[in-house]
Amino acid sequence: MPILDLLMGRPLANWEEHGEQVGPSAGIPIFGLDALSSAAYGPEAALTLLIPLGLLGVQYIIPVVGAIVVLLIIVYFSYCQTIEAYPQGGGSYTVASENLGPHVGLLAAAALMIDYVLTAAVGISAGVGALVSALPKLQPHTLGLCLLILFLLSFVNMRGVRDTGVAFLIPTYLFLGSLLIVILLGIYHVITTGGHPVPVMPVPRLPAATATLTLWLLAKVFASGCTAMTGVEAVSNGVMAFREPVTRNAKRTLTIIIALLIVLLMGIAYMCQAYGIGATNPEGPAYQSVLSQLTIAVAGRGVFYYVTIASILLVLSLSANTAFADFPRLTRAVALNDYLPHLFAIRGRRLLYSAGVYGLVFLTAGLLILFRGVTDRLIPLYAIGAFLAFTLSQSGMVMHWKRKGGPGWQWKILVNGVGATATGLTLLVVLVAKFAAGAWVTALLVPLLIMVMSLVKSHYARVDSQTQDDSPLDMSDVRPPFVIVPLDRWSRITEKGMRFALALSHDVQAVHIDCGEHNEALEATWQRNVIAPVKAAGLPAPELVIVQSPYRVIILPLVDHVLKMEQQYKNRTIAVLVPELVVKHWWENLMHNQRAQLLKLLLLVKGNQSIVVLNIPWYLQE
Amino acid sequence: MPILDLLMGRPLANWEEHGEQVGPSAGIPIFGLDALSSAAYGPEAALTLLIPLGLLGVQYIIPVVGAIVVLLIIVYFSYCQTIEAYPQGGGSYTVASENLGPHVGLLAAAALMIDYVLTAAVGISAGVGALVSALPKLQPHTLGLCLLILFLLSFVNMRGVRDTGVAFLIPTYLFLGSLLIVILLGIYHVITTGGHPVPVMPVPRLPAATATLTLWLLAKVFASGCTAMTGVEAVSNGVMAFREPVTRNAKRTLTIIIALLIVLLMGIAYMCQAYGIGATNPEGPAYQSVLSQLTIAVAGRGVFYYVTIASILLVLSLSANTAFADFPRLTRAVALNDYLPHLFAIRGRRLLYSAGVYGLVFLTAGLLILFRGVTDRLIPLYAIGAFLAFTLSQSGMVMHWKRKGGPGWQWKILVNGVGATATGLTLLVVLVAKFAAGAWVTALLVPLLIMVMSLVKSHYARVDSQTQDDSPLDMSDVRPPFVIVPLDRWSRITEKGMRFALALSHDVQAVHIDCGEHNEALEATWQRNVIAPVKAAGLPAPELVIVQSPYRVIILPLVDHVLKMEQQYKNRTIAVLVPELVVKHWWENLMHNQRAQLLKLLLLVKGNQSIVVLNIPWYLQE
């Protein structure tokens, strides 16, 4: 498999786990991309809703972003405590399950799964949105570009955690560098012009106001802006991916991410207000993202502009990667508790939970196709899952400290309690503000997912109750099976089968299905080639049973005969021997009836605990 | 299966064969439709080539049809002798194989297969052509109608020979009746008008002449007209479908068919000349078939016209039925000689060779789609196969009489010899005249088919040489196998497997693939639950082998271990026991890895004669 190895990387052994662990410098691209890239769409989502207010609307962006930053700081402290308490990975699912019971855990799992799928979809479509702003000619290909990036991302991710971090290092730091330069340059312009900066190149004018601010609109703007907070839980969920000292590395990574995010959010809000830059209609032909306008205003449409836009595109697309890092870990944790197929708990060749990666790609692609790849349509669906998970996680932590105590537990309860309350209230605002716009889909999907997971659990419980066993092997009544050998004509294949049957048991019965052809010859052959040598060897002679089949079907009378024998020999294992010709090339199968396959299948379907199938292959030589 | 029974008829038992046999009245629809319906497209095909000659061209139709009728009479006598000599069915394949050797037989088989597929395709598309003449609005749906009729035909045919004959009785006699009335009415008009009949309603004027007659054109016209002769071999091929006295019934059927065909051909040719009716461009928008024009000229566009056209449509479509009657019999005969997969020799529920029917439908549909359902394009491909089969069959009969002798054998040789020479010469003419127009496809397909059939034969020969056996069962060294039981964890499924393994053999080995998890627990369980009771029962303790799998793959190390054991225990059968969970619903399979399936598959692919698979199902209850 050298090509596979080249593309996907060689398989990793269990003991190479350690080499796959990361520190803060790689941790930021892996777990921080989602949070950091939110800077590119959070403010934009808020500004889009402010379009009807015209230039006045832009003035509201600073207080809105300010509120979000306050919330962010609360959540930050709250998650620092979670990381400390759950060094093995304290995703909302784990925390909620352990502290609030399995049902609440499922609620968190469902919310997070939806959140991650939306993270991937929103990230990619926002990246493509940035690209389309720079090259409007590409707009008709939006969906195609989205799917292409999804494919590339999943490909990189299949190489494992470490390779992914390395691959994303440069775009991440380029993005941070460019945006910080834009912000610093903007502040410099503002200062040098005494607070009235003139754009280097003209930016689209804001349309005239057509509405005034209401509390309802403000709630919707805040709810949209809150998408900037998604991705904050990623670090606490993936703690175990960090190298020793695990807790310190994880907390340091989270601190850097949150600090950078606050700087970006506040910087963008300030620039927008200073330059009077608002959002443009994302579905209109003249769509241009807020960051694109800001960069043009501050630095013109030169090389720097294209570098910045490219890095935004890259990082937005790559922000989907946080979902790739966390979704498989989440589904694995859920699968370990029997709420998802066990497949999700199996590590693939690069130590990844591959089924989770495939699941994520499948769902994200579906979503992108459904929404034709336009970010804005996805945002209403988005924040619900994230804030539900936040709230449950923080509430779980409150219960955790209450149960566990420890030094300063009251303070810890306070921090997590404030976090839970703040995110819970935000959840309510988002739910109400966005319900009609699409949040109802999430509200519908969550119970559906919980139902599916409960069904999976009950299936596994049923399997366990029926197969679990710690009793010793029952050695009573261990005796050879009653062996049935289907016989078409005497051949070396049949001979091999009969030899095997006679090696297993003294009770052997050959069955021939007669469609109205040569019988006497077969019976003579049987006497000569079977009965005689078996008797000579001193064994009891096997029986030849001929079953008439006037309608020329072979398999059904055979299966019926087996079932009849099973009735006759109660408490005895009936072993049906199926001789099978194995050919070298697939097309050779066309030359032979597939009765062996059909017989095996029917015996499995119509059979019962007493019937087993012995498959005796005969290999055809070249 | 009551719905299936209602649609397809109940299954027929072997002893109901006799009830499926037919006499001349049903024999004509079954075996004569192809020949008789040729009257509807043979003359038309000739006239189409005469279009460039204008009105003058129509004058040549009588001599051309006259030549064809002479040929027809020669072939008739020739086939009467074949029927007499081969009462078990003397298709060209059988006659050529037996008298000219298997290679010539294959040539005949290939030619006939192509001929039958073309019969079906030309019949159906000619029928639809007649319908489109009457209702020009349907022209865009030509292909769809063709496929619909093909589907209906195969459906009727799947009910068996007898039901088919009954279903086709009325349309056949309606067709014969209508055409005979048209001809008689026409002759009456010609006589009453003193040789200058006036059409009841106007018919399309013939275009002005744009070419003059050449020998080359005449050859092409003759070659096209010869399609009227296809289907003549059908009776001799299907002799065994007739009831006793078989030979007399078959000959009587052939005689009636040929006599009727001659009347129809001559009648149509005479009418065309008398009324000055020629063909119209079959791909033009004003296409109208010759028979449609003739009927309008003689009887106007009244009820009789529509009845006639409907019966032509029906009979042309049904003419494809001759292919359905004979193609499966041909492929069966070929399959019995190992030149086609044996599937073609198996009789289905209605005593038909179902695989042949499916094969014919598949190929015909392909051809119709390829040629967009227009008859004329198919005709160049057509006559080659039929005339090649004629020639080989007649030549074979010459050899037959030479070898066999009997009273009057010289006369018989003469009859078949004249037949062979006449059809052979016609074959040459058709081949040369139609080569560029598409006959080269047939000339290419024939060797291709022969090659495929030879490959099939050599495959079966290889299988036979490797499996054929008439030696008695070798009872030396018959001893229980070495049994390998893959073990994941101790469960009731494993327990059942171990019990079965110990019932078969005292050499049992359990294999656990360790991906780096719980081992001590398993080994303790093994000691407690297996070793202890087995020793207590006085049997040798089975071994537990633990195979490390650092790359977390399960199946491959297991298969490798089995192969290693096979190397170690030379000359011993290695039985791999595969316990398998059987669930009630397909979706439950998503919950379980399909390792059992994969293991069985890999053992089959990588295994050898010493390795057998024992499949122990465990049924999950509701």
Side-chain angles (χ1 to χ4, degrees), chain B residues 375-389:
Chain B
T375 322
D376 203 53
R377 294 197 201 157
L378 295 171
I379 285 181
L381 291 166
Y382 194 12
I384 306 278
F387 276 90
L388 185 52

PDB file of all heavy atoms in Angstrom, chain B residues 375-389:
ATOM      1  N   THR B 375     -36.417   1.245 -37.403  1.00  0.00           N
ATOM      2  CA  THR B 375     -36.237  -0.023 -38.099  1.00  0.00           C
ATOM      3  C   THR B 375     -35.142  -0.015 -39.129  1.00  0.00           C
ATOM      4  O   THR B 375     -34.274  -0.878 -39.160  1.00  0.00           O
ATOM      5  CB  THR B 375     -37.504  -0.389 -38.919  1.00  0.00           C
ATOM      6  OG1 THR B 375     -38.622  -0.010 -38.193  1.00  0.00           O
ATOM      7  CG2 THR B 375     -37.508  -1.854 -39.260  1.00  0.00           C
ATOM      8  N   ASP B 376     -35.238   0.982 -40.017  1.00  0.00           N
ATOM      9  CA  ASP B 376     -34.443   0.970 -41.218  1.00  0.00           C
ATOM     10  C   ASP B 376     -32.952   0.896 -40.913  1.00  0.00           C
ATOM     11  O   ASP B 376     -32.190   0.239 -41.606  1.00  0.00           O
ATOM     12  CB  ASP B 376     -34.760   2.220 -42.030  1.00  0.00           C
ATOM     13  CG  ASP B 376     -34.421   2.020 -43.481  1.00  0.00           C
ATOM     14  OD1 ASP B 376     -34.899   1.011 -44.062  1.00  0.00           O
ATOM     15  OD2 ASP B 376     -33.649   2.819 -44.009  1.00  0.00           O
ATOM     16  N   ARG B 377     -32.552   1.523 -39.841  1.00  0.00           N
ATOM     17  CA  ARG B 377     -31.142   1.518 -39.480  1.00  0.00           C
ATOM     18  C   ARG B 377     -30.697   0.120 -39.060  1.00  0.00           C
ATOM     19  O   ARG B 377     -29.524  -0.188 -39.066  1.00  0.00           O
ATOM     20  CB  ARG B 377     -30.910   2.442 -38.291  1.00  0.00           C
ATOM     21  CG  ARG B 377     -31.160   3.882 -38.612  1.00  0.00           C
ATOM     22  CD  ARG B 377     -30.517   4.744 -37.548  1.00  0.00           C
ATOM     23  NE  ARG B 377     -31.135   6.063 -37.540  1.00  0.00           N
ATOM     24  CZ  ARG B 377     -31.113   6.873 -36.497  1.00  0.00           C
ATOM     25  NH1 ARG B 377     -30.521   6.499 -35.380  1.00  0.00           N
ATOM     26  NH2 ARG B 377     -31.682   8.039 -36.572  1.00  0.00           N
ATOM     27  N   LEU B 378     -31.640  -0.683 -38.627  1.00  0.00           N
ATOM     28  CA  LEU B 378     -31.277  -2.006 -38.125  1.00  0.00           C
ATOM     29  C   LEU B 378     -31.174  -3.029 -39.240  1.00  0.00           C
ATOM     30  O   LEU B 378     -30.476  -4.025 -39.105  1.00  0.00           O
ATOM     31  CB  LEU B 378     -32.316  -2.486 -37.109  1.00  0.00           C
ATOM     32  CG  LEU B 378     -32.412  -1.667 -35.826  1.00  0.00           C
ATOM     33  CD1 LEU B 378     -33.612  -2.097 -35.013  1.00  0.00           C
ATOM     34  CD2 LEU B 378     -31.147  -1.834 -35.012  1.00  0.00           C
ATOM     35  N   ILE B 379     -31.879  -2.766 -40.362  1.00  0.00           N
ATOM     36  CA  ILE B 379     -31.967  -3.780 -41.409  1.00  0.00           C
ATOM     37  C   ILE B 379     -30.605  -4.194 -41.975  1.00  0.00           C
ATOM     38  O   ILE B 379     -30.373  -5.391 -42.181  1.00  0.00           O
ATOM     39  CB  ILE B 379     -32.961  -3.337 -42.498  1.00  0.00           C
ATOM     40  CG1 ILE B 379     -34.381  -3.511 -41.930  1.00  0.00           C
ATOM     41  CG2 ILE B 379     -32.798  -4.135 -43.778  1.00  0.00           C
ATOM     42  CD1 ILE B 379     -35.492  -3.139 -42.864  1.00  0.00           C
ATOM     43  N   PRO B 380     -29.663  -3.276 -42.201  1.00  0.00           N
ATOM     44  CA  PRO B 380     -28.380  -3.724 -42.739  1.00  0.00           C
ATOM     45  C   PRO B 380     -27.719  -4.788 -41.876  1.00  0.00           C
ATOM     46  O   PRO B 380     -27.010  -5.663 -42.369  1.00  0.00           O
ATOM     47  CB  PRO B 380     -27.534  -2.451 -42.756  1.00  0.00           C
ATOM     48  CG  PRO B 380     -28.512  -1.342 -42.786  1.00  0.00           C
ATOM     49  CD  PRO B 380     -29.717  -1.820 -42.058  1.00  0.00           C
ATOM     50  N   LEU B 381     -27.941  -4.707 -40.582  1.00  0.00           N
ATOM     51  CA  LEU B 381     -27.317  -5.660 -39.667  1.00  0.00           C
ATOM     52  C   LEU B 381     -27.974  -7.022 -39.737  1.00  0.00           C
ATOM     53  O   LEU B 381     -27.475  -8.006 -39.204  1.00  0.00           O
ATOM     54  CB  LEU B 381     -27.472  -5.178 -38.230  1.00  0.00           C
ATOM     55  CG  LEU B 381     -26.713  -3.949 -37.772  1.00  0.00           C
ATOM     56  CD1 LEU B 381     -27.265  -3.458 -36.447  1.00  0.00           C
ATOM     57  CD2 LEU B 381     -25.250  -4.290 -37.627  1.00  0.00           C
ATOM     58  N   TYR B 382     -29.119  -7.060 -40.362  1.00  0.00           N
ATOM     59  CA  TYR B 382     -30.067  -8.111 -40.094  1.00  0.00           C
ATOM     60  C   TYR B 382     -29.821  -9.417 -40.841  1.00  0.00           C
ATOM     61  O   TYR B 382     -29.490 -10.461 -40.242  1.00  0.00           O
ATOM     62  CB  TYR B 382     -31.448  -7.550 -40.450  1.00  0.00           C
ATOM     63  CG  TYR B 382     -32.598  -8.347 -39.935  1.00  0.00           C
ATOM     64  CD1 TYR B 382     -32.428  -9.345 -39.002  1.00  0.00           C
ATOM     65  CD2 TYR B 382     -33.876  -8.078 -40.379  1.00  0.00           C
ATOM     66  CE1 TYR B 382     -33.514 -10.043 -38.534  1.00  0.00           C
ATOM     67  CE2 TYR B 382     -34.953  -8.776 -39.900  1.00  0.00           C
ATOM     68  CZ  TYR B 382     -34.761  -9.770 -38.987  1.00  0.00           C
ATOM     69  OH  TYR B 382     -35.827 -10.466 -38.529  1.00  0.00           O
ATOM     70  N   ALA B 383     -29.976  -9.326 -42.163  1.00  0.00           N
ATOM     71  CA  ALA B 383     -30.089 -10.540 -42.962  1.00  0.00           C
ATOM     72  C   ALA B 383     -28.850 -11.443 -42.887  1.00  0.00           C
ATOM     73  O   ALA B 383     -28.955 -12.659 -43.078  1.00  0.00           O
ATOM     74  CB  ALA B 383     -30.398 -10.177 -44.402  1.00  0.00           C
ATOM     75  N   ILE B 384     -27.681 -10.860 -42.598  1.00  0.00           N
ATOM     76  CA  ILE B 384     -26.444 -11.652 -42.554  1.00  0.00           C
ATOM     77  C   ILE B 384     -26.583 -12.867 -41.649  1.00  0.00           C
ATOM     78  O   ILE B 384     -26.336 -14.003 -42.052  1.00  0.00           O
ATOM     79  CB  ILE B 384     -25.280 -10.804 -41.997  1.00  0.00           C
ATOM     80  CG1 ILE B 384     -25.137  -9.527 -42.778  1.00  0.00           C
ATOM     81  CG2 ILE B 384     -23.990 -11.617 -41.980  1.00  0.00           C
ATOM     82  CD1 ILE B 384     -24.381  -9.670 -44.026  1.00  0.00           C
ATOM     83  N   GLY B 385     -26.990 -12.611 -40.413  1.00  0.00           N
ATOM     84  CA  GLY B 385     -27.091 -13.691 -39.435  1.00  0.00           C
ATOM     85  C   GLY B 385     -28.032 -14.774 -39.918  1.00  0.00           C
ATOM     86  O   GLY B 385     -27.702 -15.967 -39.880  1.00  0.00           O
ATOM     87  N   ALA B 386     -29.194 -14.330 -40.405  1.00  0.00           N
ATOM     88  CA  ALA B 386     -30.187 -15.301 -40.846  1.00  0.00           C
ATOM     89  C   ALA B 386     -29.649 -16.146 -41.990  1.00  0.00           C
ATOM     90  O   ALA B 386     -29.737 -17.376 -41.965  1.00  0.00           O
ATOM     91  CB  ALA B 386     -31.458 -14.574 -41.261  1.00  0.00           C
ATOM     92  N   PHE B 387     -29.060 -15.507 -42.991  1.00  0.00           N
ATOM     93  CA  PHE B 387     -28.613 -16.274 -44.160  1.00  0.00           C
ATOM     94  C   PHE B 387     -27.391 -17.125 -43.877  1.00  0.00           C
ATOM     95  O   PHE B 387     -27.229 -18.202 -44.450  1.00  0.00           O
ATOM     96  CB  PHE B 387     -28.396 -15.338 -45.351  1.00  0.00           C
ATOM     97  CG  PHE B 387     -29.676 -15.065 -46.079  1.00  0.00           C
ATOM     98  CD1 PHE B 387     -30.489 -13.999 -45.736  1.00  0.00           C
ATOM     99  CD2 PHE B 387     -30.110 -15.936 -47.066  1.00  0.00           C
ATOM    100  CE1 PHE B 387     -31.686 -13.775 -46.366  1.00  0.00           C
ATOM    101  CE2 PHE B 387     -31.309 -15.718 -47.718  1.00  0.00           C
ATOM    102  CZ  PHE B 387     -32.103 -14.632 -47.367  1.00  0.00           C
ATOM    103  N   LEU B 388     -26.535 -16.662 -42.970  1.00  0.00           N
ATOM    104  CA  LEU B 388     -25.411 -17.494 -42.562  1.00  0.00           C
ATOM    105  C   LEU B 388     -25.936 -18.771 -41.895  1.00  0.00           C
ATOM    106  O   LEU B 388     -25.479 -19.889 -42.192  1.00  0.00           O
ATOM    107  CB  LEU B 388     -24.522 -16.704 -41.593  1.00  0.00           C
ATOM    108  CG  LEU B 388     -23.222 -17.370 -41.155  1.00  0.00           C
ATOM    109  CD1 LEU B 388     -22.420 -17.836 -42.356  1.00  0.00           C
ATOM    110  CD2 LEU B 388     -22.400 -16.408 -40.302  1.00  0.00           C
ATOM    111  N   ALA B 389     -26.923 -18.593 -41.023  1.00  0.00           N
ATOM    112  CA  ALA B 389     -27.507 -19.757 -40.351  1.00  0.00           C
ATOM    113  C   ALA B 389     -28.188 -20.686 -41.356  1.00  0.00           C
ATOM    114  O   ALA B 389     -28.007 -21.914 -41.298  1.00  0.00           O
ATOM    115  CB  ALA B 389     -28.508 -19.295 -39.286  1.00  0.00           C
TER     116      ALA B 389
END
